[in-house]
C-alpha cells in the first residue's frame, strides 16, 4: 500500500515538474520568437502590428507550430461582457479556408464576414462599419483563395445561372476582364485581381471606411490563401503607400 502511494506521489510530482517546465518554455522570449508570437493588445491598438500578428499566425500554421491560443473556458469567461477583435477578415465562404485556423487565432480575435468570392453588399458593409466604429477594430483584410469556385464561375460564364448566384458572378466579372490578357491560370489571376478591386472599393466606401482609411485610423489590405500549401500571401499591390495616422 505504501509503495503504491509513493509511486503515485512520484508520478504526480513528475507531471507537475514537466508542466512547470513546459510553461516556462512557452513564456520565454526564445519560444515566442520561434513561434512568431505578437502581443495581442499591441495588435488591437495598431493595425500594422495586427498585420504582423496575422502573418506570424499563418507561419505557425504552415510550419506545423500552431499554438491554438485563447481556445479555452477561461477565454470564454473573459469574453462574456464584450469583444475586441484585432482584425476584420472579409473572406470567401469556402469550407477549405477556416480563418481562425489558418491564422492560428482564437476566441474573440477575428471579426469575420464571409460570402462566396468575398463579394460584399450592404449587410457586409454594415458589418465592417460596426467592427470599425463599435469594436474599434483597425485592420480589415480582404482574403481570397486560389481555385475559388465563385471566381471560376465568373471566368467560365455559364448560361442560365440559377437563383441569386448570378449576382456573385456579375460582381466578379470586372476583375476577370482585367486579367483576360495575362498568361497563366485565368482563375487564380482573377482571384488576385478580385481581391485588389475589393480592397480599393472598401478604401473608397463612404461615409465611414474611406474617411478612417485616408486619416490612417484603419488599414485595408488584401491577401490570397493558397489551398495547396496553406500559405497566405499579403498582396504587395495593397501594401504600398499605406496612410499614416494623422495627428
Amino acid at each position: 500500500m505504501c509503495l503504491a502511494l509513493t509511486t503515485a506521489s512520484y508520478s504526480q510530482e513528475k507531471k507537475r515538474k514537466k508542466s512547470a517546465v513546459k510553461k516556462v518554455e512557452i513564456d520565454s522570449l526564445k519560444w515566442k520568437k520561434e513561434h512568431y508570437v505578437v502581443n495581442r493588445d499591441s495588435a488591437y491598438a495598431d493595425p500594422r502590428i495586427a498585420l504582423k500578428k496575422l502573418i506570424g499566425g499563418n507561419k505557425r500554421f504552415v510550419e506545423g507550430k500552431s499554438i491554438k491560443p485563447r481556445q479555452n473556458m477561461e477565454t470564454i469567461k473573459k469574453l462574456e461582457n464584450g469583444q475586441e477583435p484585432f482584425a476584420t477578415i472579409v473572406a470567401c465562404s469556402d469550407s477549405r479556408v477556416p480563418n481562425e485556423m489558418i491564422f492560428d487565432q482564437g476566441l474573440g480575435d477575428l471579426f469575420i464576414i464571409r460570402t462566396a468570392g468575398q463579394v460584399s453588399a450592404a449587410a457586409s458593409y454594415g458589418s465592417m462599419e460596426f467592427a470599425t466604429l463599435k469594436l474599434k477594430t483597425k485592420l480589415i483584410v480582404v482574403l481570397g483563395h486560389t481555385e475559388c469556385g465563385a471566381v471560376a464561375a465568373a471566368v467560365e460564364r455559364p448560361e442560365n445561372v440559377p437563383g441569386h448566384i448570378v449576382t456573385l458572378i456579375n460582381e466578379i466579372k470586372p476583375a476577370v476582364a482585367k486579367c483576360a490578357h495575362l498568361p497563366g491560370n485565368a482563375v487564380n489571376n482573377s482571384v488576385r485581381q478580385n481581391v485588389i478591386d475589393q480592397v480599393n472599393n472598401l478604401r473608397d466606401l463612404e461615409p465611414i471606411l474611406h474617411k478612417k482609411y485616408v486619416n490612417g485610423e484603419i488599414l485595408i489590405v488584401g491577401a490570397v490563401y493558397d489551398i495547396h500549401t496553406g500559405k497566405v500571401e499579403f498582396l504587395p499591390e495593397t501594401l504600398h503607400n499605406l496612410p499614416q495616422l494623422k495627428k
Side-chain angles (χ1 to χ4, degrees):
M1 181 68 175
C2 290
L3 179 59
L5 288 173
T6 301
T7 302
S9 298
Y10 173 76
S11 179
Q12 290 175 358
E13 179 65 14
K14 188 176 180 181
K15 287 181 180 179
R16 186 189 67 78
K17 288 182 178 179
K18 185 177 180 180
S19 176
V21 170
K22 186 176 181 182
K23 187 177 189 305
V24 170
E25 289 176 348
I26 288 177
D27 286 343
S28 71
L29 291 175
K30 181 176 183 291
W31 183 91
K32 289 180 178 179
K33 183 177 180 180
E34 289 174 347
H35 288 77
Y36 322 112
V37 175
V38 174
N39 180 267
R40 192 192 184 284
D41 291 340
S42 299
Y44 179 69
D46 187 332
R48 285 173 171 78
I49 297 177
L51 187 57
K52 290 180 180 179
K53 188 169 180 65
L54 291 178
I55 292 171
N58 182 245
K59 287 182 72 173
R60 289 196 301 272
F61 175 72
V62 171
E63 295 175 11
K65 295 180 179 179
S66 294
I67 60 177
K68 301 178 181 178
R70 294 164 55 86
Q71 297 181 21
N72 51 33
M73 187 56 65
E74 180 184 357
T75 304
I76 291 175
K77 289 295 182 183
K78 286 182 178 179
L79 293 171
E80 285 179 337
N81 298 318
Q83 58 172 319
E84 292 183 332
F86 70 84
T88 295
I89 311 293
V90 183
C92 180
S93 300
D94 196 299
S95 61
R96 298 168 293 178
V97 194
N99 292 197
E100 284 90 353
M101 289 179 64
I102 67 174
F103 287 118
D104 194 28
Q105 302 304 321
L107 295 162
D109 287 335
L110 304 178
F111 189 84
I112 300 171
I113 302 158
R114 300 182 70 171
T115 61
Q118 68 277 350
V119 171
S120 293
S124 297
Y125 296 143
S127 298
M128 296 174 220
E129 291 169 345
F130 172 80
T132 301
L133 292 179
K134 179 67 175 178
L135 305 180
K136 310 300 182 185
T137 305
K138 298 178 176 64
L139 175 65
I140 297 175
V141 177
V142 178
L143 179 65
H145 67 91
T146 59
E147 325 301 342
C148 178
V151 175
V155 171
E156 295 162 6
R157 304 181 74 167
E159 295 182 2
N160 301 318
V161 179
H164 293 82
I165 299 174
V166 68
T167 62
L168 298 173
I169 294 175
N170 287 340
E171 287 293 323
I172 300 170
K173 278 182 180 179
V176 174
K178 292 177 184 177
C179 298
H181 66 289
L182 296 178
N185 187 299
V187 171
N188 290 338
N189 287 341
S190 299
V191 163
R192 191 182 189 97
Q193 187 61 51
N194 188 45
V195 168
I196 293 170
D197 288 353
Q198 290 168 343
V199 166
N200 290 332
N201 181 49
L202 294 181
R203 289 175 177 177
D204 291 337
L205 187 66
E206 297 285 3
I208 295 168
L209 297 189
H210 174 68
K211 182 178 179 180
K212 286 192 171 293
Y213 177 76
V214 297
N215 286 338
E217 297 175 56
I218 65 171
L219 293 183
I220 305 173
V221 302
V224 173
Y225 172 78
D226 190 325
I227 65 168
H228 303 289
T229 66
K231 181 176 174 57
V232 173
E233 177 196 2
F234 283 87
L235 302 184
E237 297 94 328
T238 70
L239 299 177
H240 294 154
N241 302 316
L242 292 174
Q244 297 293 326
L245 180 63
K246 295 179 180 178
K247 301 296 185 180

